[in-house]
Amino acid sequence: CQINGVFARGTSGVVVSKIAATGSHILHWANAAATSWETGLAALDAALVVYMDGTNSQTISTSPGDWGTRLQTIVSRARTAVPGIDVMIATPPENQRTTNTGPMTAYATEARKRAMAMRFCFNDMQDAFGDPANPTEYGSTGAVPLFASDLIHPDPLTGGRALVAEFLNAICPYRGA
């Protein structure tokens, strides 16, 4: 259970904590005080950390390469906080944002490179949505409407469910009957 950010662990099972802030981006997380960040994560005694970013980071003046460098900082801090922790980095599908420093595919390439070098799991959510060269097909008025009307964020009832399915498949894949 969770009470005011404090976890009580009296039984076995899965505890999920969403640590995020609306509008936050990779600079917020990579530039946070390392000691505080690591102490807080260590207190959660997490077995897995999942970090998905890109959409908000597109709006700041951070190139995909700089984004990848900051991603390394986040993964290194997670591993310092909890040695042996599993790490999964996910990138969202291409959107129709017009004010950005690079396409989501460029952020996905950076995440994939870091995952291979640092040996963590990478999950590109693009496969759950469609052709990255044609995001209008899964836009809010597209043939398969998975995005909200802002054309930047997945619609919770359609695209949100597609994201959840992708996460669950990566963490606990269907093994058949």
Short mmCIF file of all heavy atoms in Angstrom, two decimals, residues 75-111:
data_model
loop_
_atom_site.label_atom_id
_atom_site.label_comp_id
_atom_site.label_asym_id
_atom_site.label_seq_id
_atom_site.Cartn_x
_atom_site.Cartn_y
_atom_site.Cartn_z
N VAL A 75 20.18 6.06 -16.21
CA VAL A 75 20.39 4.62 -16.04
C VAL A 75 21.52 4.37 -15.03
O VAL A 75 21.38 3.52 -14.14
CB VAL A 75 20.68 3.93 -17.39
CG1 VAL A 75 21.11 2.49 -17.19
CG2 VAL A 75 19.46 4.02 -18.31
N SER A 76 22.60 5.12 -15.13
CA SER A 76 23.71 4.96 -14.18
C SER A 76 23.27 5.25 -12.75
O SER A 76 23.64 4.53 -11.82
CB SER A 76 24.87 5.87 -14.56
OG SER A 76 25.41 5.47 -15.79
N ARG A 77 22.46 6.28 -12.58
CA ARG A 77 21.98 6.60 -11.23
C ARG A 77 21.06 5.51 -10.69
O ARG A 77 21.12 5.18 -9.50
CB ARG A 77 21.26 7.95 -11.23
CG ARG A 77 22.21 9.10 -11.34
CD ARG A 77 21.48 10.40 -11.25
NE ARG A 77 22.41 11.51 -11.38
CZ ARG A 77 22.04 12.77 -11.47
NH1 ARG A 77 20.76 13.09 -11.45
NH2 ARG A 77 22.93 13.72 -11.60
N ALA A 78 20.21 4.97 -11.54
CA ALA A 78 19.33 3.89 -11.08
C ALA A 78 20.16 2.69 -10.62
O ALA A 78 19.87 2.09 -9.59
CB ALA A 78 18.36 3.48 -12.19
N ARG A 79 21.20 2.38 -11.37
CA ARG A 79 22.05 1.24 -11.01
C ARG A 79 22.91 1.52 -9.78
O ARG A 79 23.24 0.59 -9.04
CB ARG A 79 22.91 0.86 -12.21
CG ARG A 79 22.07 0.21 -13.30
CD ARG A 79 22.89 -0.11 -14.51
NE ARG A 79 22.15 -0.97 -15.42
CZ ARG A 79 22.51 -1.18 -16.67
NH1 ARG A 79 23.60 -0.62 -17.16
NH2 ARG A 79 21.79 -1.96 -17.44
N THR A 80 23.26 2.77 -9.57
CA THR A 80 23.99 3.12 -8.35
C THR A 80 23.05 3.01 -7.15
O THR A 80 23.44 2.50 -6.09
CB THR A 80 24.55 4.55 -8.45
OG1 THR A 80 25.50 4.58 -9.52
CG2 THR A 80 25.21 5.00 -7.16
N ALA A 81 21.82 3.46 -7.31
CA ALA A 81 20.84 3.45 -6.22
C ALA A 81 20.47 2.02 -5.81
O ALA A 81 20.36 1.72 -4.62
CB ALA A 81 19.59 4.22 -6.62
N VAL A 82 20.28 1.17 -6.81
CA VAL A 82 19.84 -0.20 -6.55
C VAL A 82 20.68 -1.13 -7.44
O VAL A 82 20.29 -1.42 -8.57
CB VAL A 82 18.33 -0.38 -6.84
CG1 VAL A 82 17.89 -1.79 -6.49
CG2 VAL A 82 17.49 0.65 -6.12
N PRO A 83 21.83 -1.57 -6.95
CA PRO A 83 22.66 -2.48 -7.76
C PRO A 83 21.85 -3.70 -8.19
O PRO A 83 21.11 -4.29 -7.40
CB PRO A 83 23.79 -2.86 -6.80
CG PRO A 83 23.88 -1.69 -5.86
CD PRO A 83 22.43 -1.25 -5.67
N GLY A 84 21.98 -4.04 -9.45
CA GLY A 84 21.26 -5.19 -9.99
C GLY A 84 19.86 -4.90 -10.47
O GLY A 84 19.17 -5.80 -10.94
N ILE A 85 19.40 -3.65 -10.35
CA ILE A 85 18.05 -3.31 -10.79
C ILE A 85 17.90 -3.53 -12.29
O ILE A 85 18.84 -3.33 -13.06
CB ILE A 85 17.71 -1.84 -10.42
CG1 ILE A 85 16.21 -1.57 -10.57
CG2 ILE A 85 18.53 -0.86 -11.26
CD1 ILE A 85 15.77 -0.24 -9.99
N ASP A 86 16.74 -4.01 -12.69
CA ASP A 86 16.43 -4.13 -14.11
C ASP A 86 15.99 -2.76 -14.60
O ASP A 86 15.29 -2.02 -13.89
CB ASP A 86 15.31 -5.14 -14.34
CG ASP A 86 15.78 -6.58 -14.12
OD1 ASP A 86 16.95 -6.88 -14.42
OD2 ASP A 86 14.97 -7.39 -13.66
N VAL A 87 16.38 -2.43 -15.82
CA VAL A 87 16.06 -1.14 -16.41
C VAL A 87 15.41 -1.36 -17.76
O VAL A 87 15.92 -2.13 -18.58
CB VAL A 87 17.33 -0.27 -16.58
CG1 VAL A 87 17.00 1.03 -17.28
CG2 VAL A 87 18.00 -0.02 -15.23
N MET A 88 14.28 -0.71 -17.97
CA MET A 88 13.65 -0.70 -19.29
C MET A 88 13.40 0.75 -19.69
O MET A 88 12.79 1.50 -18.94
CB MET A 88 12.32 -1.45 -19.32
CG MET A 88 11.69 -1.38 -20.71
SD MET A 88 10.33 -2.52 -21.06
CE MET A 88 9.10 -2.03 -19.90
N ILE A 89 13.91 1.11 -20.84
CA ILE A 89 13.69 2.44 -21.40
C ILE A 89 12.74 2.28 -22.57
O ILE A 89 12.93 1.40 -23.42
CB ILE A 89 15.02 3.06 -21.88
CG1 ILE A 89 16.05 3.10 -20.75
CG2 ILE A 89 14.76 4.44 -22.48
CD1 ILE A 89 15.65 3.88 -19.51
N ALA A 90 11.73 3.12 -22.61
CA ALA A 90 10.77 3.08 -23.70
C ALA A 90 10.71 4.44 -24.38
O ALA A 90 10.88 5.47 -23.72
CB ALA A 90 9.39 2.69 -23.18
N THR A 91 10.48 4.42 -25.66
CA THR A 91 10.26 5.67 -26.38
C THR A 91 8.87 5.63 -27.00
O THR A 91 8.44 4.60 -27.51
CB THR A 91 11.32 5.90 -27.48
OG1 THR A 91 11.40 4.76 -28.32
CG2 THR A 91 12.68 6.21 -26.87
N PRO A 92 8.16 6.76 -26.92
CA PRO A 92 6.81 6.80 -27.47
C PRO A 92 6.83 6.79 -29.00
O PRO A 92 7.86 7.02 -29.62
CB PRO A 92 6.24 8.11 -26.93
CG PRO A 92 7.35 8.86 -26.33
CD PRO A 92 8.54 7.98 -26.24
N PRO A 93 5.67 6.55 -29.61
CA PRO A 93 5.60 6.57 -31.06
C PRO A 93 5.71 8.00 -31.61
O PRO A 93 5.56 8.97 -30.87
CB PRO A 93 4.21 6.00 -31.34
CG PRO A 93 3.42 6.35 -30.13
CD PRO A 93 4.38 6.25 -28.98
N GLU A 94 6.00 8.07 -32.89
CA GLU A 94 6.07 9.37 -33.56
C GLU A 94 4.74 10.09 -33.39
O GLU A 94 3.68 9.48 -33.41
CB GLU A 94 6.36 9.17 -35.06
CG GLU A 94 6.80 10.42 -35.76
CD GLU A 94 8.10 10.95 -35.19
OE1 GLU A 94 9.14 10.30 -35.34
OE2 GLU A 94 8.06 12.04 -34.57
N ASN A 95 4.84 11.38 -33.18
CA ASN A 95 3.63 12.19 -33.01
C ASN A 95 3.59 13.25 -34.11
O ASN A 95 4.38 13.21 -35.04
CB ASN A 95 3.63 12.83 -31.61
CG ASN A 95 4.87 13.66 -31.37
OD1 ASN A 95 5.19 14.56 -32.14
ND2 ASN A 95 5.59 13.34 -30.31
N GLN A 96 2.68 14.20 -33.97
CA GLN A 96 2.57 15.26 -34.97
C GLN A 96 2.95 16.61 -34.38
O GLN A 96 2.50 17.65 -34.85
CB GLN A 96 1.15 15.29 -35.54
CG GLN A 96 0.83 14.02 -36.33
CD GLN A 96 -0.56 14.03 -36.89
OE1 GLN A 96 -0.92 14.90 -37.68
NE2 GLN A 96 -1.36 13.06 -36.47
N ARG A 97 3.83 16.60 -33.38
CA ARG A 97 4.33 17.84 -32.79
C ARG A 97 5.11 18.59 -33.86
O ARG A 97 5.91 18.01 -34.58
CB ARG A 97 5.23 17.54 -31.59
CG ARG A 97 5.67 18.79 -30.85
CD ARG A 97 6.62 18.45 -29.70
NE ARG A 97 6.04 17.70 -28.62
CZ ARG A 97 5.37 18.22 -27.59
NH1 ARG A 97 5.17 19.51 -27.52
NH2 ARG A 97 4.90 17.45 -26.65
N THR A 98 4.89 19.87 -33.94
CA THR A 98 5.59 20.68 -34.95
C THR A 98 6.70 21.53 -34.35
O THR A 98 7.48 22.12 -35.08
CB THR A 98 4.59 21.59 -35.69
OG1 THR A 98 3.94 22.43 -34.74
CG2 THR A 98 3.57 20.78 -36.46
N THR A 99 6.77 21.62 -33.03
CA THR A 99 7.82 22.40 -32.38
C THR A 99 8.74 21.44 -31.64
O THR A 99 8.57 21.19 -30.46
CB THR A 99 7.22 23.40 -31.37
OG1 THR A 99 6.41 22.65 -30.45
CG2 THR A 99 6.36 24.43 -32.07
N ASN A 100 9.68 20.86 -32.36
CA ASN A 100 10.55 19.89 -31.71
C ASN A 100 11.97 19.94 -32.24
O ASN A 100 12.24 20.55 -33.27
CB ASN A 100 9.97 18.48 -31.83
CG ASN A 100 9.84 18.02 -33.27
OD1 ASN A 100 10.77 18.11 -34.04
ND2 ASN A 100 8.67 17.52 -33.63
N THR A 101 12.86 19.28 -31.53
CA THR A 101 14.27 19.26 -31.90
C THR A 101 14.63 17.99 -32.65
O THR A 101 15.79 17.80 -33.00
CB THR A 101 15.16 19.39 -30.66
OG1 THR A 101 14.82 18.36 -29.75
CG2 THR A 101 15.01 20.74 -30.01
N GLY A 102 13.70 17.14 -32.89
CA GLY A 102 13.96 15.91 -33.63
C GLY A 102 12.78 14.97 -33.56
O GLY A 102 11.96 15.05 -32.65
N PRO A 103 12.67 14.06 -34.52
CA PRO A 103 11.56 13.10 -34.51
C PRO A 103 11.76 12.04 -33.42
O PRO A 103 12.89 11.79 -32.98
CB PRO A 103 11.63 12.48 -35.91
CG PRO A 103 13.07 12.60 -36.30
CD PRO A 103 13.55 13.88 -35.67
N MET A 104 10.70 11.42 -33.01
CA MET A 104 10.78 10.37 -31.99
C MET A 104 11.68 9.23 -32.47
O MET A 104 12.35 8.59 -31.68
CB MET A 104 9.40 9.83 -31.64
CG MET A 104 8.57 10.73 -30.75
SD MET A 104 9.41 11.37 -29.29
CE MET A 104 10.20 9.95 -28.61
N THR A 105 11.71 8.98 -33.77
CA THR A 105 12.57 7.92 -34.28
C THR A 105 14.04 8.19 -33.95
O THR A 105 14.80 7.25 -33.70
CB THR A 105 12.39 7.73 -35.80
OG1 THR A 105 12.55 9.01 -36.44
CG2 THR A 105 11.01 7.17 -36.13
N ALA A 106 14.45 9.45 -33.92
CA ALA A 106 15.84 9.79 -33.56
C ALA A 106 16.10 9.52 -32.08
O ALA A 106 17.18 9.05 -31.71
CB ALA A 106 16.13 11.25 -33.91
N TYR A 107 15.12 9.80 -31.23
CA TYR A 107 15.26 9.50 -29.81
C TYR A 107 15.31 7.98 -29.61
O TYR A 107 16.08 7.47 -28.78
CB TYR A 107 14.12 10.11 -29.00
CG TYR A 107 14.18 11.62 -28.92
CD1 TYR A 107 13.62 12.42 -29.91
CD2 TYR A 107 14.82 12.24 -27.86
CE1 TYR A 107 13.68 13.80 -29.84
CE2 TYR A 107 14.90 13.62 -27.78
CZ TYR A 107 14.33 14.39 -28.78
OH TYR A 107 14.41 15.76 -28.70
N ALA A 108 14.50 7.25 -30.36
CA ALA A 108 14.50 5.79 -30.26
C ALA A 108 15.86 5.22 -30.67
O ALA A 108 16.36 4.30 -30.03
CB ALA A 108 13.39 5.20 -31.12
N THR A 109 16.46 5.78 -31.70
CA THR A 109 17.79 5.34 -32.13
C THR A 109 18.81 5.54 -31.02
O THR A 109 19.64 4.66 -30.74
CB THR A 109 18.21 6.08 -33.41
OG1 THR A 109 17.30 5.74 -34.46
CG2 THR A 109 19.63 5.71 -33.81
N GLU A 110 18.74 6.70 -30.36
CA GLU A 110 19.66 6.98 -29.25
C GLU A 110 19.44 6.00 -28.10
O GLU A 110 20.39 5.51 -27.50
CB GLU A 110 19.51 8.42 -28.76
CG GLU A 110 20.02 9.44 -29.75
CD GLU A 110 21.50 9.31 -30.06
OE1 GLU A 110 22.28 8.98 -29.14
OE2 GLU A 110 21.87 9.53 -31.22
N ALA A 111 18.18 5.74 -27.76
CA ALA A 111 17.89 4.80 -26.67
C ALA A 111 18.38 3.40 -27.02
O ALA A 111 18.96 2.71 -26.17
CB ALA A 111 16.39 4.79 -26.38
#
